[in-house]
Amino acid sequence: MAAEPRPAAAAVSPEGQPTGTAGAPATTRRGMAKVGVATAVAAVSGYLVLFLAARVLGPADYAVFAVFWAAFGLVSGAVNGLMQETTRAVRAGLEQPATATGTEIRRARPIRTGAVIGVALAVAVLVTAPLWATTVFSTDRLLSVLLLAVGIAGFSAQATLSGALSGAGAWSQFSALTILDACLRLVVALACAVLGLRVGGFLVATVAGVVAWLIVTAASPRSRQALALTADVGVGVFRRRVLQSMAAATASAALVMGFPVILKATTSGALTSEAGAIILAVTLTRAPLLVPLNTFQGALISHLVTLRRTPLRALRMPVGVLAAVAVIGAALAAGIGPWLLRIAFGADYRVGPAVLAALTVGACMIGLLTVTGCAALAAEQHRAYALGWWAATIASVLLLLLPVGLDLRVSLSLVAGPVVGAVIHVAALVTNARAFSPPGPNG
């Protein structure tokens, strides 16, 4: 069967640089420095929002805030599949040389797909809310549902813009979008703290950053150019791949952002103070690694697309970094973690050193799963990408059902579950790399 015809690449990238035959401009050190700064700002901002919420609201109201934070993270995390596939499709489209097949296909416009997905998800939240809102949200239910619907619609557009900017190598605009999103959330949280607003105000802060894409698009011609770029494939193929990526991203979001919801679902009765402290500890041990990693996902996928024929070699450095972080981070978490929790958040937040060390290793295992997933996506192994994330999530949920103490089952769930998915990703990459290998001397 003949290969699908590939359309010509764009002549100029959103950064104003000619793409030539190689496609989009290569990731530069200066661009990565900008992304690094944006990542640091996002990480610090996220910590400050959590700190303000924990200190201002207290343990009981913080639990309410944490569940909404997790619910928004769950639905918006699913949309990250749109961002990831947009990054891959735009990058690959810019890299492909013009073809002389004479066959034209209608190349997908990611922003159109993003708009459809955003509206569809917002409507789904509103229509299905009577089925789950009472169970998930204990207070401020109407406000929570409305904010969730508006937030997911805005985040879908923002994810599309992030993906287009990453794929095109427009790191200045990507960094500006990341910083603005984080700062808007922090400003609203600070206003809540100063004005003495309670849970409702912090719920608004959770979704405040989704308007950042409107500001960046209005202020930046290059961002508007990025939104005009097309994918490397037709509309039908792009939409199918987006849905596959979103299916995997849903599992990712459930495991990463939606963990408090999963913990609540697998725990009989109301969550105790011990559970609240562990939820906070999970968030704090993950944030230093996963916030930067999530921010760099677009850059990582864009980089791995160019190395998709040798993915295992490309993974050596990020996997080595994760291993080092796991060892050093676990030691630090065990040594000073309990003290830091008491000093920063109060005596009610108590978690043992062994649990904090295990949660830190668990964060690195999710980082490993994220990196191997990016490699699978870059290699166009969409099914393996989704399968790995879903296998990891299912394994983690099953481990949470073990009849052992809360701290042990949470630790086992977050350490062992992601390893299952990473093994699936690596197996797919090995198979794919063999398919790319040249034939031996005997053909």
Side-chain angles (χ1 to χ4, degrees):
M1 185 170 59
E4 183 180 9
R6 298 182 183 275
V12 179
S13 79
E15 289 284 1
Q17 299 173 348
T19 62
T21 59
T27 300
T28 63
R29 291 183 180 179
R30 181 179 299 178
M32 286 299 92
K34 291 177 181 178
V35 176
V37 171
T39 298
V41 171
V44 172
S45 173
Y47 262 123
L48 289 175
V49 171
L50 292 173
F51 174 81
L52 289 170
R55 295 291 292 188
V56 172
L57 298 179
D61 284 345
Y62 177 80
V64 176
F65 161 76
V67 169
F68 179 79
W69 181 281
F72 180 65
L74 182 60
V75 293
S76 61
V79 180
N80 275 333
L82 170 64
M83 183 274 291
Q84 293 162 350
E85 178 56 22
T86 298
T87 298
R88 188 211 62 78
V90 168
R91 178 72 172 185
L94 288 172
E95 284 191 339
Q96 289 169 1
T99 60
T101 62
T103 305
E104 296 292 334
I105 62 172
R106 186 166 67 94
R107 299 179 70 179
R109 291 278 302 274
I111 186 58
R112 292 177 181 173
T113 299
V116 171
I117 288 174
V119 172
L121 288 176
V123 171
V125 167
L126 294 174
V127 170
T128 63
L131 302 176
W132 49 264
T134 302
T135 302
V136 176
F137 304 130
S138 56
T139 62
D140 298 290
R141 292 191 184 98
L142 179 59
L143 177 62
S144 297
V145 170
L146 291 176
L147 287 176
L148 197 59
V150 173
I152 195 57
F155 188 82
S156 296
Q158 189 150 303
T160 306
L161 178 58
S162 294
L165 293 172
S166 297
W171 305 118
S172 297
Q173 290 69 38
F174 176 85
S175 300
L177 179 64
T178 302
I179 290 173
L180 184 59
D181 172 79
C183 289
L184 286 172
R185 190 179 300 110
L186 178 58
V187 166
V188 176
L190 285 170
C192 293
V194 172
L195 298 176
L197 301 180
R198 301 297 298 173
V199 175
F202 280 94
L203 299 185
V204 173
T206 302
V207 302
V210 301
V211 302
W213 79 275
L214 288 171
I215 300 172
V216 171
T217 301
S220 168
R222 290 179 178 176
S223 296
R224 295 192 292 273
Q225 292 170 12
L227 285 179
L229 292 174
T230 57
D232 61 327
V233 293
V235 176
V237 175
F238 178 72
R239 288 179 178 174
R240 183 172 68 252
R241 289 179 173 180
V242 165
L243 292 178
Q244 288 174 334
S245 294
M246 287 182 62
T250 300
S252 169
L255 191 58
V256 177
M257 290 296 296
F259 185 75
V261 177
I262 295 177
L263 183 60
K264 186 175 185 298
T266 54
T267 302
S268 59
L271 294 179
T272 63
S273 298
E274 179 190 11
I278 288 179
I279 288 174
L280 179 61
V282 168
T283 302
L284 294 176
T285 52
R286 285 177 170 182
L289 176 65
L290 298 187
V291 169
L293 184 57
N294 287 336
T295 302
F296 271 102
Q297 269 194 69
L300 182 60
I301 293 172
S302 182
H303 172 66
L304 289 172
V305 164
T306 64
L307 300 174
R308 57 187 177 275
R309 296 191 177 216
T310 56
L312 298 183
R313 185 183 305 170
L315 285 174
R316 288 176 185 173
M317 184 182 71
V319 170
V321 171
L322 286 171
V325 171
V327 174
I328 298 172
L332 290 174
I336 64 175
W339 173 78
L340 284 177
L341 271 179
R342 290 194 302 271
I343 295 299
F345 299 100
D348 291 335
Y349 295 96
R350 290 190 292 269
V351 181
V355 176
L356 286 173
L359 295 181
T360 302
V361 174
C364 293
M365 293 304 99
I366 293 179
L368 174 66
L369 180 61
T370 301
V371 169
T372 58
C374 287
L377 192 63
E380 300 188 21
Q381 298 293 305
H382 292 73
R383 291 182 180 178
Y385 172 66
L387 179 60
W389 273 106
W390 276 109
T393 300
I394 292 171
S396 295
V397 171
L398 292 177
L399 288 169
L400 281 175
L401 295 173
L402 290 175
V404 296
L406 179 65
D407 54 355
L408 180 56
R409 61 191 178 100
V410 168
S411 299
L412 288 173
S413 172
L414 296 182
V415 172
V419 173
V420 174
V423 168
I424 292 175
H425 287 161
V426 172
L429 290 171
V430 170
T431 302
N432 188 63
R434 287 174 179 170
F436 273 122
S437 299
N442 296 325

